[in-house]
Amino acid sequence: MPKTRTRTRQVSRLPREQRLSDIMKAGREIFSEKGFEAASMAEIADRAGIVEGTIYRIFKGKRELLEKVVAQWYEEVLADYDVQLAGVRGTWNRLRFMIWYHLQGIHDQPDLFALVAQQLRGRPDYEETEVYALARQYASHATDIIKEGIAAGEFRPDPPMQLVRDMIFGGTEHYAWRFLSGKGDLSVEETADQMANLVYGGLAQGGDAPAPGGLESVVQRLEAVAQKLEQ
Amino acid sequence: MPKTRTRTRQVSRLPREQRLSDIMKAGREIFSEKGFEAASMAEIADRAGIVEGTIYRIFKGKRELLEKVVAQWYEEVLADYDVQLAGVRGTWNRLRFMIWYHLQGIHDQPDLFALVAQQLRGRPDYEETEVYALARQYASHATDIIKEGIAAGEFRPDPPMQLVRDMIFGGTEHYAWRFLSGKGDLSVEETADQMANLVYGGLAQGGDAPAPGGLESVVQRLEAVAQKLEQ
DNA sequence: CGACCTGCTGAATATAATTTATTAAAGAGC
DNA sequence: GCTCTTTAATAAATTATATTCAGCAGGTCG
């Protein structure tokens, strides 16, 4: 009688798609709540209402699950961005919107952003992953707008675009880091304004030409001359 | 005779300082070579000529060892920076040097940089660590120079300094990422020039007040005036 | 209705970090 | 020079998870 063994286990066999999305949902939740390392496969399985081994029928391992979770989220974000940007006109406004959108994303989903930065990017095989491809697409939002600005004649024609792009994304990320690790707040609107202005300013004039004292000394010279003239 | 048991184990008892530095040296090497996760305590112990358990007599665990290794390296870098910077004059030159120095550091010690970015920063207790304090000191190199530029009247008086600082460090980090993960090259000189110019340009004029064509138009006006004067 | 396929389970395995009981080097006291 | 004490260092045990795998049992098709 006390033999527990006889308890006929109740097993539900779902179509692969259903199981997959159940696991992804559980994974996204647990990874968001606890981060990658602290999330255990046991807990994810539990949340998905299955047993650990089942996850491995569908995903190669913990890391692949993370990648799929993040890729799915990236796709949602990319689709939404295109819709939103369509309604914004003018180089400065579009630049500002692009930065604002990124900051807002960090603000709303800090945990997922942290996972990308800490767990995916920087792996030796990162460039072969789906997330990398999506991240490139996402990053092209910046270079697209810079190109528009050049085409419109508002920006100088030969800026180091990759570098500007990386200063935007790297800058937001660093700036938001305290917030990303759960401390302090993040002022999305103000930061978007400031950064948009810095970037716009840096691109609008000859930011690449000043040379050691180049533009600087030119301005000083000219200012001195102007003063003399206006006496 | 073949009894291996009788082999009296040869144990050397070193002063704590010596053991500590042996372990730090081995840790720095192995962490640099393989990264944090792939580095095993067994291999570190081996390289240091001791057995795993001994590491725990001196360090709380793998993570604390990493922190001490990185902190030591940071201190070396901070000391060297001060010496080097002392010989550089002028805001643009100092700004360029500061960026160059950071890029050169990434270039020379990519593995240690990657460890900071991936393993230390972003931990929940990061702000309580020694490395955090050192990183703040390091980061102040940027704000120091911005303040000098303001004092010299070259920069506008109220820039968002934290944000600029984070765009410099976050930007270099993103930009160097491919190199940091062992792929591609990193042009230190060119990148330092470009970034210094972008930042100098963004701060020199009213980068916070969009003024599309701010400094540029000022220069044009002044140049026109000068020409008139020199006629 | 029965045989088969394969999703699912549950327990076993593997790998590393960490802990701990034991051993022995080095210095103090006689 | 000898023993005694202290504690550094060792080697084995423990722990914690991710991952694997042999077998069980829904669901389906003949």
Side-chain angles (χ1 to χ4, degrees), chain A residues 73-88 90-105 113 134 136-146 148 168-169:
Chain A
W73 167 64
Y74 246 113
E75 273 163 7
E76 294 166 18
V77 170
L78 281 168
D80 180 59
Y81 176 85
D82 288 337
V83 173
Q84 305 286 327
L85 182 71
V88 182
T91 302
W92 190 88
N93 287 329
R94 284 167 80 86
L95 178 65
R96 200 268 187 194
F97 173 80
M98 191 242 106
I99 294 168
W100 173 89
Y101 189 90
H102 187 59
L103 283 163
Q104 190 67 47
F113 260 93
L134 292 164
R136 277 188 75 88
Q137 228 180 300
Y138 187 85
S140 73
H141 293 162
T143 43
D144 287 349
I145 289 174
I146 297 173
E148 289 172 21
I168 292 172
F169 290 115

Side-chain angles (χ1 to χ4, degrees), chain B residues 11-31 33 40-52 54-56 58-59 65-66 68-69 72:
Chain B
V11 173
S12 72
R13 300 176 67 147
L14 300 182
R16 188 186 177 82
E17 289 307 313
Q18 181 62 54
R19 256 301 100 94
L20 186 141
S21 84
D22 286 355
I23 296 172
M24 295 260 281
K25 182 162 179 292
R28 183 159 169 173
E29 287 174 15
I30 307 275
F31 283 142
E33 287 166 21
S40 82
M41 293 300 262
E43 193 174 357
I44 293 170
D46 210 53
R47 181 82 59 105
I50 52 172
V51 99
E52 290 169 74
T54 302
I55 300 179
Y56 292 88
I58 300 188
F59 300 95
L65 173 57
L66 175 69
K68 300 288 187 195
V69 164
Q72 187 187 52

Side-chain angles (χ1 to χ4, degrees), chain B residues 117-147:
Chain B
Q118 284 176 55
Q119 297 299 336
L120 300 183
R121 200 193 303 153
R123 298 246 134 203
D125 60 342
Y126 175 57
E127 301 193 21
E128 277 77 58
T129 65
E130 191 185 349
V131 172
Y132 174 72
L134 292 164
R136 277 188 75 88
Q137 230 181 299
Y138 188 87
S140 72
H141 293 163
T143 42
D144 286 349
I145 289 173
I146 297 173
K147 283 176 193 158

Side-chain angles (χ1 to χ4, degrees), chain B residues 1 12 15 20 25 30-31 39 74 76 78 105 110 114 131 134 144 146 155 160 166 169 183 190 193 198 226-227 230:
Chain B
M1 211 26 101
S12 72
L20 186 141
K25 182 162 179 292
I30 307 275
F31 283 142
Y74 247 113
E76 293 166 19
L78 282 168
V131 172
L134 292 164
D144 286 349
I146 297 173
F155 293 157
D166 289 330
F169 290 114
K183 316 212 157 79
E190 186 187 2
D193 276 340
L198 282 165
Q227 277 196 345
E230 286 168 344

Side-chain angles (χ1 to χ4, degrees), chain B residues 104-126:
Chain B
Q104 191 67 47
I106 292 176
H107 187 269
D108 292 346
Q109 301 282 330
D111 308 306
L112 286 168
F113 260 93
L115 285 169
V116 176
Q118 284 176 55
Q119 297 299 336
L120 300 183
R121 200 193 303 153
R123 298 246 134 203
D125 60 342
Y126 175 57

